[in-house]
Amino acid sequence: MIDIGPYNNPNIGGDHLTKDSFAASSNALMWYFDRDSAHAKTAINILNAWTNTLTTVGHGNDAKLRFALDFPEMLNAAELLKNVYNTDPTTADADKWQPADIARFDAFVKSMMIARGGTYSPTVDYYPQANGGWDALIGAFNMSAAVYLNDVDLYNAALQQFYLGNAQNPNGVSEGALLSYIYPTGELQETSRDQAHVQLGINGLALQAAISWNQGIDLFSAYNSRLLAGVAYTAKYNLGEDVPSETFASDLSRGKANDGTPAYEIVANHYLTQQPMTTDAVQSVQQAADTLSRAPIATNEGGQHINWLQAALYTTD
């Protein structure tokens, strides 16, 4: 059972999910780097254990956020195992992730991680009335799941939530939609809350842009490059610069990354290598990646030090 309430009270099974999610992705990556099948087998065992044992998810809303923060790591492991490890000619048939186990995992993604044991729909796990970081991260999780599952409806719903914020409720707009979360000046909906939460929000939006770029869809340019404006604004403030604010910019947690803030790595890489552009905004984001995301103290939700690993994972052509 997993049941996660506000401020992790209660926290039944949540930490276990977090640690196993990062253990699965780490072992899958280690197999990719060194081709030692023991790592792949460990990742397979973790995925199978969850799909075979978790039967109940409490309906405290914080479970949505924990799943969005951590379960994409299991999806990353599943993607590598299913599409790379299983197709590697050196992998023996008996060592592969078996089709029945894959089918159970695929069903588990929708039934337990998205629907939390309830009725599934492509928008059931959004939480548009909360601070925008929630739907930004949930959108990234749903996009990850959609790509892994080849589920067009799930992916399109995430795109609609990113662009318009009304995928779940046609009469409302989510705080986690791009235009709701990042204002034209670059200030963000949670800038006045604290820098830890605002960096989680931009992480979710940047991850959606990175996933979509790999699918041939450019979210970086959406609404006059609004994502760049928000990430650069946050980068400058956390690097110690003054920024204009229509509310006020909180200095709580200022000056350090949150979950390594992959948004800095993703956006800097995009404008340095994928669509090269040299501007003050891009330079600020690159500086934040160098000094905040790659700092020795940068860790992920699982407590792993990920500074240079994250840099390697998000540096692409």
Side-chain angles (χ1 to χ4, degrees):
M1 176 181 181
I2 288 182
D3 191 14
I4 306 168
Y7 304 102
N8 289 321
N9 184 22
N11 183 12
I12 301 170
D15 291 344
H16 192 179
L17 176 74
T18 298
K19 292 176 182 177
D20 277 2
S21 294
F22 287 98
S25 64
S26 295
N27 275 281
L29 278 172
M30 284 191 287
W31 169 80
Y32 185 79
F33 291 139
D34 66 19
R35 290 307 198 260
D36 183 345
S37 63
H39 297 312
K41 292 175 184 178
T42 297
I44 290 170
N45 288 339
I46 293 171
L47 300 187
N48 289 347
W50 277 94
T51 57
N52 290 326
T53 58
L54 182 63
T55 59
T56 305
V57 177
H59 277 252
N61 282 321
D62 282 56
K64 295 183 179 186
L65 187 58
R66 180 70 70 102
F67 293 173
L69 283 166
D70 299 339
F71 195 72
E73 296 298 325
M74 284 204 194
L75 291 168
N76 290 338
E79 189 81 52
L80 278 171
L81 294 169
K82 180 178 176 180
N83 297 312
V84 184
Y85 173 72
N86 273 14
T87 60
D88 190 298
T90 66
T91 302
D93 287 344
D95 292 337
K96 292 179 179 180
W97 193 19
Q98 297 302 307
D101 294 326
I102 294 172
R104 276 191 292 270
F105 179 83
D106 292 359
F108 174 86
V109 173
K110 286 188 173 182
S111 66
M112 300 305 292
M113 292 293 101
I114 295 178
R116 296 180 295 147
T119 302
Y120 171 81
S121 81
T123 63
V124 68
D125 58 340
Y126 287 112
Y127 194 29
Q129 64 269 43
N131 280 307
W134 286 66
D135 272 3
L137 290 162
I138 292 169
F141 164 41
N142 284 8
M143 278 193 180
S144 300
V147 171
Y148 168 74
L149 296 169
N150 293 316
D151 189 318
V152 175
D153 290 340
L154 182 59
Y155 183 80
N156 285 343
L159 275 181
Q160 182 176 342
Q161 195 75 342
F162 179 93
Y163 276 114
L164 303 175
N166 63 357
Q168 187 185 78
N169 178 6
N171 297 314
V173 177
S174 170
E175 293 287 354
L178 180 63
L179 291 185
S180 300
Y181 200 68
I182 302 176
Y183 308 149
T185 60
E187 188 173 2
L188 298 99
Q189 184 252 323
E190 293 186 276
T191 296
S192 59
R193 183 182 184 186
D194 60 60
Q195 297 308 301
H197 281 92
V198 80
Q199 288 181 92
L200 288 178
I202 59 172
N203 287 348
L205 295 172
L207 286 165
Q208 291 184 66
I211 293 165
S212 294
W213 182 262
N214 290 335
Q215 308 309 309
I217 298 173
D218 180 8
L219 299 186
F220 291 96
S221 300
Y223 300 112
N224 296 316
S225 304
R226 184 70 64 89
L227 178 62
L228 173 60
V231 175
Y233 181 100
T234 306
K236 290 177 181 180
Y237 187 64
N238 280 278
L239 290 168
E241 297 182 31
D242 292 330
V243 292
S245 175
E246 296 178 5
T247 56
F248 73 94
S250 171
D251 62 2
L252 293 175
S253 306
R254 186 181 185 185
K256 63 180 181 179
N258 193 6
D259 284 356
T261 314
Y264 299 142
E265 297 284 4
I266 290 168
V267 173
N269 175 72
H270 179 74
Y271 288 106
L272 291 173
T273 63
Q274 294 170 333
Q275 286 186 321
M277 182 173 73
T278 302
T279 65
D280 176 67
V282 173
Q283 290 173 350
S284 293
V285 176
Q286 180 61 59
Q287 185 181 353
D290 287 338
T291 61
L292 301 178
S293 297
R294 301 176 189 178
I297 62 171
T299 58
N300 60 23
E301 285 283 311
Q304 297 172 314
H305 290 274
I306 55 166
N307 44 351
W308 287 103
L309 173 61
Q310 184 171 261
L313 291 175
Y314 291 116
T315 300
T316 61
D317 294 333

